[in-house]
Amino acid sequence: MNFVNGIALDGPAGAGKSTIAKIIAKELNLPYLDTGAMYRAMALCAISAGISLTDAEGVDDLLQRTDIKVVYEADGQHVLINGQDVTGQLRQEEIGKGASLISKLRCVRDKLAAMQRDIAHETHAVLDGREIGTFVIPETPYKFFITATAQERAMRRVRQLREKGENPDYDTILKDIEARDYQDSHRDYAPLKQAEDALLIDTTHMTIEEAVNTVLRALGAR
Ligand code: DC
């Protein structure tokens, strides 16, 4: 099967996109590109350099001096910033919030989206993000919008954290999720939005397996 230009999975934080995208990529023997990791790496880079995530000029200047690379190793995708592997530092909550902030800047989005577009065109990868189907590779016919209610996404996050031995507060997590949804979908440039030709998959009452099967069936791979 040939998925020229890549496969786009968009949706809000915590909807299960990355889990679904990884399984789809494995099934189809294609690379998986976690585009959020690239925004997270840029946020980490700016924070480490002491540059405010809302300082467009400062961040633009930093971008000119920063070499970002995505490489694949046996355990999956790694992001290198000026040759240094920062993958292990990207999943912290603060970095996620920072990524959401820095992704509002046009200079950041233009640079990262161009890299993502090249990877999609060269490797026909499965990309997950917020605006892959509307902005990064709008030309692909393979588009999915994966969502779930904010309450369900908050519950899933609470369960994940409990499994790690933490004692999270549901209301705080729900508030964070709603704030992130608002910020990602209200930015001026390339906001989180369902593409008109994307297939909407609401996973609120679905298992991961059901969601994966829905995507694979739509791709003609089941
Ligand atoms: O998917 P994630 O939680 O790793 O993404 C972190 C933030 O990065 C997200 O809140 C908004 C931004 N982002 C984006 O603007 N576009 C993408 N394709 C991926 C992430």
Side-chain angles (χ1 to χ4, degrees), residues 10-11 13-14 17 34-37 39-40 91 95-101 103-104 109 116 128-132 136 180 184 187 190:
D10 288 308
K17 297 183 303 288
D34 169 4
T35 63
Y39 288 94
R40 286 171 183 260
R91 296 312 310 172
I95 300 295
K97 285 186 188 162
S100 180
L101 259 186
S103 71
K104 288 165 85 172
R109 179 162 308 286
Q116 293 158 9
D128 82 343
R130 301 292 187 285
E131 67 322 18
I132 306 299
V136 178
R180 179 86 75 88
D184 289 350
R187 63 187 182 216

Side-chain angles (χ1 to χ4, degrees), residues 13-201:
K17 297 183 303 288
S18 65
T19 310
I20 296 167
K22 273 184 211 157
I23 301 174
I24 300 290
K26 203 165 172 209
E27 286 266 338
L28 300 176
N29 203 18
L30 293 170
Y32 158 60
L33 181 65
D34 169 4
T35 63
M38 298 167 74
Y39 288 94
R40 286 171 183 260
M42 263 327 292
L44 177 71
C45 182
I47 292 167
S48 311
I51 295 169
S52 158
L53 300 171
T54 54
D55 172 4
E57 260 179 46
V59 171
D60 195 10
D61 180 57
L62 178 70
L63 270 177
Q64 314 294 330
R65 312 181 255 121
T66 305
D67 175 50
I68 311 166
K69 275 204 179 68
V70 174
V71 296
Y72 289 92
E73 294 182 10
D75 63 345
Q77 172 182 327
H78 286 244
V79 185
L80 309 187
I81 293 282
N82 297 326
Q84 195 198 341
D85 189 345
V86 295
T87 313
Q89 300 166 63
L90 302 181
R91 296 312 310 172
Q92 301 158 39
E93 196 55 39
E94 281 317 299
I95 300 295
K97 285 186 188 162
S100 180
L101 259 186
I102 207 169
S103 71
K104 288 165 85 172
L105 301 180
R106 188 181 275 252
C107 57
V108 174
R109 179 162 308 286
D110 282 344
K111 175 156 176 164
L112 299 188
M115 289 176 67
Q116 293 158 9
R117 203 167 285 135
D118 286 347
I119 294 172
H121 289 172
E122 276 165 30
T123 69
H124 308 168
V126 179
L127 281 71
D128 82 343
R130 301 292 187 285
E131 67 322 18
I132 306 299
T134 52
F135 181 75
V136 178
I137 43 169
E139 63 279 22
T140 185
Y142 312 112
K143 294 179 194 175
F144 301 88
F145 194 82
I146 315 273
T147 190
T149 61
Q151 289 75 10
E152 171 64 16
R153 287 182 282 134
M155 253 340 282
R156 289 178 191 168
R157 184 82 188 123
V158 165
R159 282 197 292 266
Q160 260 175 9
L161 293 171
R162 280 195 189 134
E163 275 165 24
K164 284 197 209 161
E166 293 177 33
N167 186 20
D169 176 48
Y170 171 84
D171 289 333
T172 308
I173 290 186
L174 179 61
K175 248 195 228 142
D176 277 357
I177 283 184
E178 287 172 341
R180 179 86 75 88
D181 285 357
Y182 186 87
Q183 182 154 291
D184 289 350
S185 52
H186 285 81
R187 63 187 182 216
D188 295 337
Y189 191 45
L192 162 67
K193 196 170 78 186
Q194 182 184 342
E196 275 174 18
D197 54 343
L199 178 67
L200 173 68
I201 303 177

